[in-house]
RNA sequence: GUGGAUGUAGCUCAGUGGUUAGAGCACUGGAUUGUGGUUCCAGGGGUCGUCGGUUCAAUCCCGAUCUUCCACCCCA
């Protein structure tokens, strides 16, 4: 029988799981350090919650769940005849798999607003699904690791998110650069250009600056119907030189006529002032070409890139002023970030950055020689486990070669042998599998040696 | 969603319009009845992605479909 799994999904074996858990645990522990609390939401949401929140593209990428039971009976005859999936679909599907963690979170906040303590700091590490066409580093099922603060306008939140990013990548030993921009500044730019209604086209185009270059961006803008005069005015903004302070200063004069632009610059200034007082490993820079696709961002936007590997962003986020408004709770501002665990995995693999001990599962294997030996071993095994030592006994009295081979394959560092000789002396032979050395020890010594956590 | 490539043993890959399709690694057994990683010997395992067409004959040629990969769109 041929087995397979759906397109764009993956299995994870034990070795991959321990590496992935290392990443998840690192991220979660930093989230906890900053006072964030975990929540989980269901894999599926009502389509009414999901639809229309990610733009037209996003709606197409939603996985929809077929209604259970005899789902065709609810379809009116005329819809059935039309064969148009657009009008047909609502009758046969009312649930979908979540597309990200932010929208379900917004729904969660609205639904539980009376139980929550605001400002609410939550983190969430769960799978999301997108019916995208898979390629390298892009899957139809993947994890997101989100932290958001909701119910606070303070820019201190943005500043602390930068600290969190720094702390996570410091612990993972990945050199990064954090790029920051502000959606209000982008709106200001569109306003100055006299193209306030084209803000989406403009931001999408200038987001491609580092990828396709200035000339292509200008071409794309022309094609989208932005006037040549406006593009000429845009050019000096994209080519701003100098450090952050200088960039902000020149931007302030360029955007003098835009109120929203000035507001954005103020916010950026405050954020960078905070960040300047932190002792960070990561570089933090102002990048006016950073746009981020998601259209619910309204203030700061972040993106993190690895310095030692070209793989796109490994973390991103921003402020959204009214995400809960669509669920009937207006005026609640939030800001959050999302770590891309799958890409961080690829970066660590590339840098050989996974710690050796994260792979070890069993510390000691007891060789099985037979029933009498089993009875001798089991109480000691129980004691080892009570001391927090991962240990196992081979379940059958198979050939030594096979049992030793099992230890090799599982990369178990110690093997314990206890047969007639050892039983007579009430001792155990402890073998170090990497050096091949072995010693005769008591059960007390066994526990003592195996409790040491050094890597061998 | 658009364009291009790909699919042969568990894995990495050879190969041919014509008898029983191969290698390395892995697996199982033996050399070796309390000592693994090395070596040697033997063995099991494939409707050559799936369906259809051309042909006396297809794993090979053609078409469709699915998978994986690459670029675009978009994104983590």
């Amino acid at each position: 029988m041929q087995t397979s799994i759906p397109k764009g999904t993956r299995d994870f074996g034990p070795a991959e799981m321990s590496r992935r858990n290392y990443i998840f645990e690192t991220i979660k522990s930093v989230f906890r350090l900053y006072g964030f609390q975990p929540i989980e939401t269901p894999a599926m949401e009502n389509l009414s919650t999901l639809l229309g929140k990610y733009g037209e593209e996003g709606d197409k990428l939603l996985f929809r769940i077929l209604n259970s039971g005899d789902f065709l009976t609810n379809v009116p005859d005329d819809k059935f005849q039309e064969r148009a999936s657009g009008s047909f679909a609502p009758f046969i599907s009312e649930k979908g798999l979540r597309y990200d963690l932010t929208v379900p979170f917004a729904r969660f906040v609205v639904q539980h607003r009376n139980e929550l303590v605001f400002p609410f700091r939550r983190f969430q590490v769960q799978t999301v699904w997108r019916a995208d066409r898979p390629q390298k580093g892009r899957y139809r099922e993947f994890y997101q690791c989100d932290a958001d603060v909701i119910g606070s306008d303070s820019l201190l939140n943005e500043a602390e998110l930068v600290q969190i990013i720094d702390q996570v990548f410091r612990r993972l030993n990945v050199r990064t650069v954090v790029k920051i921009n502000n959606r209000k500044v982008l709106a200001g730019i569109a306003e100055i250009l006299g193209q306030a209604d084209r803000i989406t086209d403009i931001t999408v185009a200038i987001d491609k600056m580092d990828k396709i270059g200035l000339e292509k961006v200008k071409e794309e803008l022309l094609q989208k119907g932005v006037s040549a005069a406006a593009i000429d005015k845009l050019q000096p903004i994209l080519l701003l030189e100098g450090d952050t302070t200088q960039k902000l200063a020149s931007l302030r004069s360029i955007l003098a006529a835009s109120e929203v632009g000035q507001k954005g610059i103020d916010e950026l200034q405050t954020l960078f002032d905070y960040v300047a007082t932190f002792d960070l490993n990561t570089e933090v820079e102002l990048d006016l070409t950073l746009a981020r696709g998601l259209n619910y961002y309204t203030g700061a936007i972040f993106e993190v890139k690895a310095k030692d590997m070209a793989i796109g962003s490994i973390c991103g986020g921003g402020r959204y002023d009214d995400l809960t408004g669509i669920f009937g709770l207006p005026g609640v501002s939030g800001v959050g970030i999302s770590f891309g665990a799958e890409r961080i995995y690829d970066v660590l693999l590339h840098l050989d950055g996974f710690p050796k001990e994260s792979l070890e599962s069993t510390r000691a294997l007891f060789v099985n020689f037979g029933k009498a030996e089993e009875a001798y071993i089991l109480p000691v095994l129980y004691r080892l486990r009570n001391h927090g030592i991962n240990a196992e006994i081979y379940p059958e009295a198979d050939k030594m070669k096979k049992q030793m081979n099992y230890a090799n394959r599982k990369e178990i560092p110690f093997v314990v042998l206890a047969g007639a000789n050892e039983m007579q002396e009430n001792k155990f032979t402890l073998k170090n599998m990497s050096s091949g050395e072995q010693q005769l020890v008591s059960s007390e010594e066994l526990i003592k040696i195996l409790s040491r956590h050094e890597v061998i």
Side-chain angles (χ1 to χ4, degrees), chain A residues 132-376:
Chain A
D132 210 346
R133 186 125 149 197
Q135 30 173 299
K136 185 134 214 123
R138 180 187 296 193
Y139 307 96
R140 300 184 120 182
E141 176 183 77
F142 60 95
Y143 272 85
Q144 286 192 335
C145 312
D146 280 24
D148 291 79
V149 184
I150 199 156
S152 161
D153 291 325
S154 168
L155 290 162
L156 180 55
N157 297 308
E158 273 87 335
E160 283 206 311
L161 290 176
V162 173
Q163 264 189 318
I164 287 177
I165 291 167
D166 178 71
Q167 190 63 239
V168 165
F169 290 112
R170 188 185 296 219
R171 289 183 181 202
L172 293 175
N173 262 310
V174 175
R175 302 196 313 143
T176 51
V177 47
V178 179
K179 300 182 172 210
I180 299 179
N181 197 3
N182 192 296
R183 200 77 186 207
K184 294 190 178 78
V185 169
L186 292 171
I189 291 172
E191 206 175 294
I192 292 299
L193 299 182
Q195 311 269 336
D197 53 327
R198 294 216 110 88
I199 178 164
T200 308
D201 286 342
I202 291 173
T203 54
V204 166
I206 67 180
D207 190 30
K208 295 178 185 164
M209 262 296 278
D210 59 331
K211 214 170 161 187
I212 62 177
L214 179 61
E215 290 310 313
K216 293 266 171 115
V217 168
K218 283 158 79 173
E219 262 176 53
E220 185 163 331
L221 284 171
L222 263 180
Q223 216 180 344
K224 290 260 165 74
V226 179
S227 73
I231 293 173
D232 283 344
K233 274 164 101 180
L234 177 64
Q235 182 160 340
I237 300 173
L238 297 181
L239 298 175
L240 272 189
E241 298 276 330
D243 62 21
T244 301
T245 316
Q246 291 167 327
K247 280 184 188 169
L248 284 176
S250 16
L251 204 54
R252 198 176 278 285
S253 60
I254 296 172
L255 298 184
S258 165
E259 196 183 324
V260 64
Q262 292 298 318
K263 184 93 197 319
I265 294 165
D266 288 344
E267 290 182 10
L268 281 171
Q269 188 67 59
T270 308
L271 177 52
F272 277 102
D273 285 348
Y274 270 125
V275 168
T277 67
F278 298 155
D279 178 24
L280 302 179
N281 262 10
T282 183
E283 274 176 45
V284 181
E285 62 174 49
L286 172 64
D287 183 354
L288 291 169
T289 69
L290 172 64
R292 306 253 334 139
L294 293 174
N295 40 26
Y296 48 66
Y297 291 127
T298 54
I301 41 190
F302 311 102
E303 194 162 284
V304 182
K305 298 210 162 178
K307 290 176 96 170
D308 300 307
M309 186 180 183
I311 193 175
S313 76
I314 52 178
C315 176
R319 177 169 289 274
Y320 40 90
D321 274 339
D322 199 27
L323 199 60
T324 57
I326 34 183
F327 296 119
L329 183 64
V332 181
S333 183
V335 59
I337 48 170
S338 178
F339 287 85
E342 325 284 338
R343 285 186 180 170
I344 294 171
Y345 182 94
D346 289 342
V347 171
L348 286 179
L349 207 59
H350 179 248
L351 300 177
D352 198 20
F354 287 105
K356 185 93 175 55
E357 61 267 32
S358 72
L359 279 172
E360 187 187 309
S361 57
T362 300
R363 190 148 174 86
L365 172 77
F366 284 75
V367 169
N368 189 330
F369 288 118
K371 286 291 165 227
E373 289 85 351
E374 257 180 45
Y376 176 69

Side-chain angles (χ1 to χ4, degrees), chain A residues 367-369 394-403:
Chain A
V367 169
N368 189 330
F369 288 118
Y394 197 86
E396 346 240 349
D398 270 341
K399 291 216 165 86
M400 268 292 270
K401 174 172 176 143
K402 199 169 171 186
Q403 300 193 39

